[in-house]
């Protein structure tokens, strides 16, 4: 690491982070216990240091610039790391106890959560975790779950949502199945191919068309030969040679006997959002789990 390249003051970065999260200097100053002019000077000093504008100011409203949005991802990671350092150094993370409920699709729960929960057990062994693995959207507002991992950003104003990253999704099938159907190209006649999906609507078909597959004529011909409610069941059907299904590259590329169908096509980018109720700001137990998930899933 080139230590001499780190020249800015963390307090300035913290002022920017809290302002971006709270949406105004007044709210950020209250959150940090600073006066509004002091906070404004800290943000201005960070802008001057990097020679960029981080916010566009329209009256009392603050909007992140493109440079501000780019910087925010890195500063958020710094803030989460600083929180973990403080908790670990003081021993508070080890002493935090209680129950946290996480909801995610069964695919995310099975493939992405285990490393995060292993890290959580090391950080805060007193926290117990309940996992609701379901495609149904659990209601965080009514506390059906504390934290949700979703593919769509929620619109409710009282929820806190953090974009984690995009997952690259591709079509996969067994080598035997692809050998059987002759490995057609994306613009060939695909009417004899069996596609496995998670729903009965044409959402998946539309996404496959967007990828570049010659599928418009299949929408009304039952292109989804098998549909089910869970990713785990759909993936089991693929692994048993019943057709083509969509899975993340990081999962499917490790499975023997499975290969990419139409490998030259660009993958679908599916976002991962980490969502919690605003209680996240005051509940240390939920905050610890949220931060560990954020770091590990990224």
């Amino acid at each position: 690491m080139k230590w001499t390249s780190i020249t800015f003051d963390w307090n300035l970065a913290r002022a920017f982070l809290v302002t971006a999260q709270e949406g105004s200097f007044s709210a950020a100053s209250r959150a940090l216990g600073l006066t509004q002019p002091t906070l404004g000077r800290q943000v201005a000093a960070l802008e001057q240091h990097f020679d960029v504008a981080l916010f566009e100011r329209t009256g009392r409203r603050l909007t992140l610039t493109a440079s501000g949005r780019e910087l925010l991802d890195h500063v958020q990671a710094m803030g989460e790391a600083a929180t973990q350092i403080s908790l670990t150094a003081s021993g508070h993370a080890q002493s935090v106890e209680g129950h946290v409920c996480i909801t995610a699709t069964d695919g995310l729960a099975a493939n992405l959560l285990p490393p995060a929960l292993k890290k959580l057990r090391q950080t805060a062994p007193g926290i117990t975790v309940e996992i609701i693995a379901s495609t149904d959207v659990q209601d965080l507002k009514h506390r059906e779950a504390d934290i949700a991992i979703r593919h769509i950003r929620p619109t409710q104003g009282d929820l806190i949502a953090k974009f984690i990253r995009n997952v690259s999704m591709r079509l996969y099938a067994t080598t035997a199945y692809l050998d059987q159907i002759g490995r057609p190209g994306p613009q060939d006649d695909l009417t004899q191919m069996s596609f496995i999906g998670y729903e009965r609507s044409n959402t998946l078909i539309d996404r496959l068309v967007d990828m570049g597959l010659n599928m418009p004529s299949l929408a009304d011909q039952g292109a989804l030969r098998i549909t089910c409610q869970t990713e785990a069941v759909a993936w089991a059907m693929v692994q048993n040679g019943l057709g083509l299904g969509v899975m993340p590259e990081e999962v499917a590329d490790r499975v023997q006997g499975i290969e990419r169908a139409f490998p030259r096509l660009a993958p679908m980018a599916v976002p991962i959002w980490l969502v919690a109720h605003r209680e996240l700001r005051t509940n240390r137990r939920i905050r610890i789990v949220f931060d560990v998930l954020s770091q590990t899933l990224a």
Side-chain angles (χ1 to χ4, degrees), residues 200-276:
R200 295 182 180 179
S201 71
N202 287 333
T203 302
L204 178 59
I205 301 297
D206 293 340
R207 294 297 301 271
L208 296 178
V209 171
D210 291 340
M211 286 177 64
L213 292 184
N214 179 26
M215 298 188 66
S217 63
L218 300 185
D220 299 324
Q221 298 180 25
L224 295 181
R225 303 295 174 85
I226 298 176
T227 59
C228 53
Q229 289 297 314
T230 69
E231 297 171 4
V233 172
W235 185 231
M237 300 299 157
V238 172
Q239 291 180 293
N240 279 274
L242 291 172
L244 286 73
V246 176
M247 280 295 286
E249 290 178 346
E250 60 200 87
V251 175
D253 283 345
R254 301 196 302 262
V255 180
Q256 292 186 348
I258 298 290
E259 61 180 275
R260 297 177 180 182
F262 314 110
R264 295 184 179 181
L265 291 181
M268 289 186 286
V270 179
I272 294 180
W273 289 89
L274 196 59
V275 187

Side-chain angles (χ1 to χ4, degrees), residues 10-285:
W10 158 245
N11 288 322
L12 305 184
R14 184 183 65 164
F16 162 67
L17 173 61
V18 177
T19 301
Q21 290 181 336
E22 297 292 337
S24 69
F25 284 133
S26 58
S29 62
R30 289 192 297 270
L32 288 175
L34 301 174
T35 65
Q36 188 169 331
T38 298
L39 184 76
R41 284 195 296 269
Q42 289 182 342
V43 173
L46 188 65
E47 290 180 317
Q48 184 177 6
H49 178 84
F50 289 119
D51 193 24
V52 295
L54 300 175
F55 294 102
E56 292 178 353
R57 299 164 176 82
T58 306
R60 296 183 178 180
R61 293 176 59 84
L62 293 176
T63 304
L64 283 168
T65 64
S67 297
R69 289 192 297 272
E70 185 175 358
L71 184 63
L72 181 61
D73 290 337
H74 302 292
V75 177
Q76 281 180 329
M78 291 176 60
E80 291 158 5
T83 300
Q84 291 302 313
I85 290 170
S86 297
L87 289 170
T88 301
S90 63
H92 288 166
Q94 293 286 326
S95 64
V96 173
E97 298 179 348
H99 185 76
V100 174
C101 181
I102 303 171
T103 179
T105 67
D106 63 310
L108 289 172
N111 297 306
L112 298 185
L113 271 185
L117 297 185
K118 185 177 294 185
K119 176 65 175 178
L120 178 64
R121 181 170 293 178
Q122 297 169 351
T123 304
I127 294 178
T128 60
V129 176
E130 175 188 0
I131 300 172
I132 301 178
S134 171
T135 55
D136 294 333
V137 177
Q138 305 300 316
D139 193 344
L140 298 186
K141 293 178 64 175
H142 294 91
R143 309 318 301 270
E144 295 177 9
D146 299 304
I147 297 173
I149 307 172
R150 295 178 177 172
H151 291 307
I152 300 175
R153 183 175 187 172
T155 57
Q156 298 96 322
D158 55 352
L159 297 180
I160 296 173
K162 179 181 179 181
F163 173 74
I164 301 299
R165 62 182 170 97
N166 284 320
V167 175
S168 294
M169 309 281 284
R170 290 183 180 273
L171 277 168
Y172 288 88
T174 62
T175 298
Y177 180 82
L178 293 175
D179 289 342
Q180 174 188 341
I181 63 175
R183 301 174 185 274
Q187 292 303 308
D188 292 337
D189 181 7
L190 306 181
T191 54
Q192 299 305 311
M193 302 187 76
S194 296
F195 292 88
I196 299 169
Y198 309 129
E199 52 186 313
R200 295 182 180 179
S201 71
N202 287 333
T203 302
L204 178 59
I205 301 297
D206 293 340
R207 294 297 301 271
L208 296 178
V209 171
D210 291 340
M211 286 177 64
L213 292 184
N214 179 26
M215 298 188 66
S217 63
L218 300 185
D220 299 324
Q221 298 180 25
L224 295 181
R225 303 295 174 85
I226 298 176
T227 59
C228 53
Q229 289 297 314
T230 69
E231 297 171 4
V233 172
W235 185 231
M237 300 299 157
V238 172
Q239 291 180 293
N240 279 274
L242 291 172
L244 286 73
V246 176
M247 280 295 286
E249 290 178 346
E250 60 200 87
V251 175
D253 283 345
R254 301 196 302 262
V255 180
Q256 292 186 348
I258 298 290
E259 61 180 275
R260 297 177 180 182
F262 314 110
R264 295 184 179 181
L265 291 181
M268 289 186 286
V270 179
I272 294 180
W273 289 89
L274 196 59
V275 187
H277 192 269
R278 285 196 178 275
E279 185 186 350
L280 173 71
R281 301 187 190 278
T282 57
N283 188 311
R284 190 168 60 187
R285 179 180 68 255

